[in-house]
Amino acid sequence: MATDAKKRVCIVGSGNWGSAIAKIIGANVVKFNNKFETRVTMYVYEEIVNSQKLSDIINQLHENVKYLPGHRLPENIVAVPDVIEAAKDADILIFVIPHQFIRTLCATLLDKIKPTAVGVSLIKGFDRGDGVNIELISKVIEKNLRIQCYVLMGANLANEVAEEKFCETTIGCRDKRLAPLLKDLIQTSNFRVSIVEDCEAVEVCGALKNIVACAAGFVDGIGLGDNTKAAVIRLGLIEMVRFVDTFYTGSKLATFFESCGVADLITTCYGGRNRRVCEQYVKTGKTIRQLEEELLAGQKLQGPATADEVHGMLKARNLTDKFPLFTTIHRICTEQIRPADLINEIRAHPELPTIGDTQDA
């Protein structure tokens, strides 16, 4: 992508996180209006809210009353219910939709966007690929839209970002010319951006931490306490490192100490939707699907789906014993065992893993 002309930005998605990032991008394109066009389109999946179209509400009130109520969006954020119309002129496409819908979206946009456009995926999850192997969402976008796609992941609970509480995030980008432009688009004094070239590890962390958050929720629901929760988080981090080391050779251990790694893991295990739903799964006896519908106001739960996708890949390679926590969470989420069996399953492994079991490739 040429870096001289002003860049047009489209946010593909308008849920909780999409609306929060829209607040930042809307302000920054005005701040850096020598680099960006100030009009930002935001694709909105059309819904009826209080007898009105959600896109109309956003454009009239400058607020996403369903997914980010109480937060005013900049007036230069324009809600567009047709994804092709929203994205067709964009130079930078910010993807922030549930990962389950990415292939359908790419099929819709193929050959309808600028061939010189670049993508940035904020999507935390994997694509199931061929049913055995999983694919990174950024790679699905690259393959199906024929554009370069980079990633942004971090300890970024959407409501806190919207409230402008201080936090950090990580952009994985190997293009040294583009990276500063993306930083100008995203960074604020309260939303600090680090750039690393280790794109795969950044993205994998954003997906796997949701599995660990499910485990944290089960621990909270059972009432096992903070020591147990800390142990589960540590075990989860080790399995995250091991997974990257196994499947994405060349990634760096240092990436796990960026916001996309340990910080995002801690935040999600204490404040995220996966933790909350899994806690209620234990306490209420309702199914995960029921709780997703009741508690998330239309948002999607990523942890159980990601656990299922990871399990298929591990099982095909006879590696489930190397990832006991991920395997156990999958079994709980698919109702093969009870949440109360979580710690017994961990105890069944005679040696708990340490960071020395992994390598900094």
Side-chain angles (χ1 to χ4, degrees):
M1 181 182 71
T3 57
D4 48 356
K6 291 184 180 182
K7 306 307 174 192
R8 294 185 176 92
V9 181
C10 171
I11 301 167
V12 185
S14 58
N16 188 231
W17 185 210
S19 298
I21 207 70
K23 281 192 66 177
I24 290 173
I25 289 175
N28 278 353
V29 295
V30 173
K31 179 180 179 182
F32 296 104
N33 61 14
N34 61 320
K35 300 179 181 181
F36 303 101
E37 295 289 350
T38 56
R39 182 180 186 269
V40 175
T41 55
M42 180 172 71
Y43 165 60
V44 175
Y45 177 77
E46 195 69 279
E47 301 176 65
I48 302 301
V49 179
N50 299 326
S51 302
Q52 283 186 277
K53 293 179 179 179
L54 181 57
S55 61
D56 288 342
I57 295 172
I58 293 172
N59 288 331
Q60 292 165 12
L61 301 182
H62 306 292
E63 178 184 352
N64 189 333
V65 296
K66 180 168 184 180
Y67 295 109
L68 195 68
H71 293 280
R72 184 173 177 81
L73 300 177
E75 294 187 12
N76 58 319
I77 299 292
V78 180
V80 180
D82 182 330
V83 69
I84 295 173
E85 182 64 27
K88 66 180 183 180
D89 295 324
D91 300 292
I92 301 173
L93 295 159
I94 308 294
F95 293 95
V96 54
I97 63 171
H99 79 277
Q100 297 92 328
F101 304 135
I102 191 62
R103 284 186 179 270
T104 300
L105 180 117
C106 287
T108 302
L109 288 179
L110 180 61
D111 296 326
K112 304 295 194 302
I113 61 173
K114 286 184 174 182
T116 55
V118 296
V120 181
S121 174
L122 279 60
I123 301 170
K124 296 183 176 181
F126 294 121
D127 180 80
R128 192 175 291 275
D130 59 10
V132 174
N133 297 296
I134 58 178
E135 289 191 58
L136 300 182
I137 298 298
S138 65
K139 301 306 179 186
V140 173
I141 293 170
E142 288 186 348
K143 183 187 300 183
N144 288 278
L145 287 182
R146 304 171 194 154
I147 63 173
Q148 288 295 307
C149 186
Y150 303 103
V151 295
L152 180 150
M153 305 284 159
N156 307 143
L157 295 179
N159 286 347
E160 294 185 12
V161 172
E163 291 164 4
E164 301 182 23
K165 295 179 178 178
F166 181 84
C167 65
E168 300 173 313
T169 200
T170 309
I171 293 178
C173 179
R174 294 189 180 93
D175 187 332
K176 288 181 167 54
R177 294 176 301 172
L178 179 63
L181 190 69
L182 296 180
K183 191 168 187 176
D184 285 341
L185 183 63
I186 300 293
Q187 179 165 269
T188 73
S189 59
N190 286 318
F191 193 70
R192 301 298 296 275
V193 173
S194 295
I195 306 282
V196 301
E197 295 185 7
D198 195 2
C199 301
E200 288 83 4
V202 171
E203 185 167 1
V204 172
C205 283
L208 294 182
K209 55 95 180 182
N210 284 326
I211 304 176
V212 187
C214 291
F218 295 141
V219 168
D220 288 343
I222 298 166
L224 295 175
D226 287 336
N227 289 342
T228 302
K229 189 171 178 178
V232 164
I233 292 172
R234 187 194 76 85
L235 293 171
L237 178 61
I238 296 297
E239 292 194 15
M240 289 168 61
V241 175
R242 178 177 289 167
F243 188 92
V244 171
D245 190 53
T246 301
F247 295 109
Y248 300 95
T249 304
S251 293
K252 301 184 184 304
L253 187 61
T255 303
F256 291 86
F257 296 92
E258 298 289 345
S259 182
C260 62
V262 64
D264 195 11
L265 177 62
I266 292 169
T267 295
T268 307
C269 287
Y270 279 88
R273 70 184 75 158
N274 292 280
R275 187 218 63 82
R276 179 161 56 103
V277 168
C278 288
E279 178 184 25
Q280 292 305 309
Y281 175 69
V282 177
K283 291 183 174 181
T284 66
K286 295 180 179 179
T287 68
I288 288 176
R289 179 65 63 86
Q290 286 177 308
L291 291 165
E292 180 183 51
E293 293 176 355
E294 291 179 9
L295 299 178
L296 299 186
Q299 298 176 72
K300 294 298 181 182
L301 196 65
Q302 305 292 357
T306 302
D308 186 56
E309 292 152 2
V310 166
H311 180 75
M313 190 169 180
L314 296 177
K315 185 177 179 181
R317 292 164 172 76
N318 296 315
L319 290 173
T320 54
D321 285 347
K322 296 290 186 181
F323 297 87
L325 184 66
F326 289 174
T327 300
T328 297
I329 297 311
H330 167 72
R331 295 178 68 200
I332 294 173
C333 290
T334 53
E335 300 183 357
Q336 297 177 52
I337 60 175
R338 302 169 303 147
D341 296 324
L342 172 62
I343 301 305
N344 286 336
E345 290 292 316
I346 293 174
R347 288 196 189 107
H349 290 263
E351 294 185 11
L352 297 180
T354 68
I355 199 69
D357 297 326
T358 64
Q359 298 180 23
D360 186 4

